Amino acid sequence: ETGVTQSPTHLIKTRGQQVTLRCSSQSGHNTVSWYQQALGQGPQFIFQYYREEENGRGNFPPRFSGLQFPNYSSELNVNALELDDSALYLCASSMGGNTEAFFGQGTRLTVV
Amino acid sequence: AQSVSQHNHHVILSEAASLELGCNYSYGGTVNLFWYVQYPGQHLQLLLKYFSGDPLVKGIKGFEAEFIKSKFSFNLRKPSVQWSDTAEYFCAANPSNTGNQFYFGTGTSLTVIP
């Protein structure tokens, strides 16, 4: 167990819908990152939040957005879902730059 | 652009065989390097990490990796694999000026035959 929990574990949505995924970071961690892992691929960095502010973003369109709350938990929101958004979404938390990140088990999103 | 390449996509070994998985990264600045393992149905777990210092780092479960700066490589090794090492292995680079932005390779699937 890493102390990073994600919910839900599985989700099925229809193309065009919106989805919110949640992550509770490990106690004491102020940085949360989100990753998309397509089948057979390595995780791809979506964005990162540090103390409630986005401070890094990968090559993902604006319909991927997020939030970090005062308790450092986080949400990933995806609007206008597309079939290619089907993937495992991973959340990772850490104590900041140049430290180890701990990953949750992920949310498996299927878009039909 | 930053990238991480893992050259071995699928590796099949017999128990007690030696393992070496290749990893090369593309980044000109200071970078932290990691190997993560993903057992079937489980979350990513850290095997080992390199930030600075001794380029030969030892991790959990008998794994080690060597950072060779001139080759931009961080290969993973284990002298004698076990059936329980069957898993997906990911190399990741974290440029030191990006907080915790990790760039992962595509992964290597290791199957160890008893």
Side-chain angles (χ1 to χ4, degrees):
Chain A
E1 291 297 323
T2 64
V4 180
T5 57
Q6 294 185 241
S7 62
T9 54
H10 295 84
L11 200 55
I12 300 175
K13 288 286 190 178
T14 303
R15 189 171 52 180
Q17 285 187 314
Q18 178 266 342
V19 69
T20 297
L21 310 181
R22 295 179 175 82
C23 172
S24 292
S25 58
Q26 186 165 321
S27 178
H29 287 184
N30 56 21
T31 302
V32 173
S33 307
W34 286 91
Y35 293 81
Q36 180 195 68
Q37 186 177 13
L39 202 60
Q41 300 295 318
Q44 297 291 313
F45 174 72
I46 303 175
F47 46 56
Q48 172 177 272
Y49 280 82
Y50 171 69
R51 294 185 176 179
E52 304 178 58
E53 296 285 333
E54 183 182 299
N55 76 336
R57 190 178 184 92
N59 189 26
F60 281 81
R63 59 189 185 84
F64 285 78
S65 63
L67 282 173
Q68 187 180 30
F69 301 99
N71 66 355
Y72 301 135
S73 65
S74 178
E75 286 183 354
L76 164 65
N77 299 292
V78 187
N79 294 322
L81 283 167
E82 301 177 359
L83 297 179
D84 285 348
D85 295 333
S86 295
L88 180 68
Y89 288 85
L90 297 168
C91 168
S93 77
S94 70
M95 292 174 61
N98 298 318
T99 61
E100 176 185 343
F102 294 84
F103 285 82
Q105 285 196 286
T107 294
R108 173 73 62 188
L109 172 65
T110 302
V111 182
V112 297
Chain B
Q2 300 91 337
S3 67
V4 175
S5 300
Q6 292 182 241
H7 315 298
N8 316 99
H9 298 292
H10 299 279
V11 173
I12 301 174
L13 295 173
S14 298
E15 274 193 319
S18 65
L19 170 72
E20 180 160 3
L21 302 182
C23 172
N24 287 90
Y25 65 93
S26 170
Y27 186 72
T30 303
V31 63
N32 304 314
L33 295 162
F34 303 80
W35 276 96
Y36 282 87
V37 61
Q38 192 170 36
Y39 298 104
Q42 296 190 25
H43 59 82
L44 282 169
Q45 299 175 34
L46 181 69
L47 274 180
L48 45 77
K49 58 191 176 187
Y50 174 79
F51 287 102
S52 63
D54 189 343
L56 184 62
V57 292
K58 295 189 183 299
I60 61 171
K61 305 185 180 185
F63 286 91
E64 64 177 32
E66 185 175 12
F67 169 57
I68 303 179
K69 188 175 182 179
S70 62
K71 295 185 178 180
F72 296 88
S73 70
F74 190 56
N75 292 353
L76 181 71
R77 299 194 291 251
K78 186 172 184 179
S80 176
V81 295
Q82 301 173 315
W83 175 78
S84 58
D85 293 325
T86 295
E88 190 86 15
Y89 291 81
F90 293 95
C91 180
N94 162 227
S96 63
N97 63 350
T98 63
N100 280 101
Q101 297 180 27
F102 287 72
Y103 297 89
F104 284 84
T106 52
T108 296
S109 174
L110 172 65
T111 300
V112 179
I113 301 170

